[in-house]
Each structure stands twice: as structure tokens, then as C-alpha cells.
Amino acid sequence: MTVEEFEEFYAQTVARLTGQLYVMLGDLYEAQDVVQEAFVKGWSRRRQIDREGRPEAWIRTVAWRLAVSRWRLRRRSADAWKLSGAPPHVAGPEPEQVVLVEALRELPAQQRRTLTLHYLCDLTVDQIAGETGLSASTVKTHLSRGRKALAHRLDDPSMEEAPGV
């Protein structure tokens, strides 16, 4: 099967095969996905499936097998989750964390990235420079400006002590 023949075969059969798999699976999106994946597999085997004389049946079979494989994977994943039990309760963020995240969102992306790499990932200035492709002096500038901007944004007048206290 030539490239043009395969393209024509695809154009003539993709809707029909998707409809057939939709009926088999009961999920249109899953049917579209496995049919497309089957066509991708068929592309590299187009000469082989043409020799067998039933390319549509080949695509349909491959799509069905892909769907079955996905079901098995989902079932194994679900079984594994059942065996591990419910995840532990995780407390929501504290108000201070929410304020910090909001303040970080207001920073330019590069400052935010640099601060994150330094304070959350514990990277040195040189390590950050190596990872980001920035010079060490630029990293230091981003850290300095980012800290200054955060200090300004996180300055809460209600947190200041009252006079005479």
C-alpha cells in the first residue's frame, strides 16, 4: 500500500471504524484515541496489512486490543490503589502559604523560577546558573530583586506592633 493509498484508506474508513469502536467500547473519546493509535501502528506496517487483504479488519483488531490493554492497566492501577489504602489526610495550606503563593504569582516568571530553585530546591547560585543558562550575576540580581519584591508584597500593616507595645 503506497502512501497515497493509505491516506485514501484512512479517509474512507476512519469514521466507520471510530463508530464501530464507539459501539464496542461505549466511549467516543476512547474509540477515537484507539483508532488513531491503530492507524499510526498501521502506517509503519501498511505493506504488510495490504498483503493480508483486510486492512480495515487489521485496524479494528489493533484498536480493540489497545482498548483492552488500557482496561487492564486501569484495573491493575485501581487494584493497586485499593491495596495501598486510602491516602493520608493532607491539611490545606495555611493562610501564610496562600499569601506567599499569591505574592510569588505577581513576580516575573524568571524571578519566581530563580527564587524557587534557590529556596525550595536548595540550589546554589552556580547551580541555578548552570540549570537556567543565566550568568551567576544575573541569578544574584533575580534573587535580590525577587526578595525585595516579596518583602514589599508581604509587608502587612496589620502585623506591625501597635505604638507603645
Side-chain angles (χ1 to χ4, degrees):
M1 187 178 295
T2 65
V3 171
E4 293 79 18
E5 290 170 335
F6 189 85
E7 289 174 350
E8 184 179 328
F9 164 65
Y10 174 84
Q12 291 176 352
T13 61
V14 68
R16 179 172 52 245
L17 286 165
T18 301
Q20 293 166 358
L21 267 292
Y22 172 48
V23 172
M24 291 179 200
L25 304 174
D27 182 338
L28 178 60
Y29 298 112
E30 184 77 6
Q32 290 170 332
D33 202 34
V34 294
V35 168
Q36 289 301 319
E37 192 171 342
F39 271 107
V40 168
K41 291 179 181 290
W43 173 258
S44 61
R45 296 173 180 86
R46 61 186 181 275
R47 289 181 182 84
Q48 173 190 346
I49 64 175
D50 188 39
R51 274 186 261 131
E52 295 172 3
R54 298 184 40 180
E56 190 171 338
W58 190 91
I59 296 291
R60 186 174 34 254
T61 301
V62 169
W64 173 255
R65 288 178 181 164
L66 287 167
V68 169
S69 293
R70 289 178 180 189
W71 288 338
R72 288 179 181 149
L73 177 65
R74 285 187 200 114
R75 189 178 67 228
R76 284 193 304 268
S77 295
D79 290 346
W81 279 108
K82 286 178 189 174
L83 290 175
S84 67
H89 174 73
V90 177
E94 297 292 323
E96 299 83 21
Q97 293 169 315
V98 173
V99 170
L100 177 61
V101 169
E102 289 300 319
L104 282 166
R105 284 184 181 152
E106 294 176 16
L107 295 179
Q110 195 59 51
Q111 283 180 8
R112 190 171 54 245
R113 181 180 182 201
T114 304
L115 287 167
T116 302
L117 290 172
H118 187 67
Y119 291 105
L120 265 58
C121 302
D122 291 326
L123 298 183
T124 65
V125 170
D126 291 333
Q127 290 171 323
I128 295 169
E131 185 169 322
T132 61
L134 301 171
S135 69
S137 63
T138 303
V139 170
K140 289 177 185 177
T141 301
H142 284 308
L143 287 172
S144 174
R145 289 180 182 169
R147 283 190 294 260
K148 185 176 179 181
L150 282 179
H152 175 69
R153 285 178 173 84
L154 295 176
D155 186 17
D156 186 357
S158 67
M159 300 298 281
E160 294 178 9
E161 292 184 8
V165 177

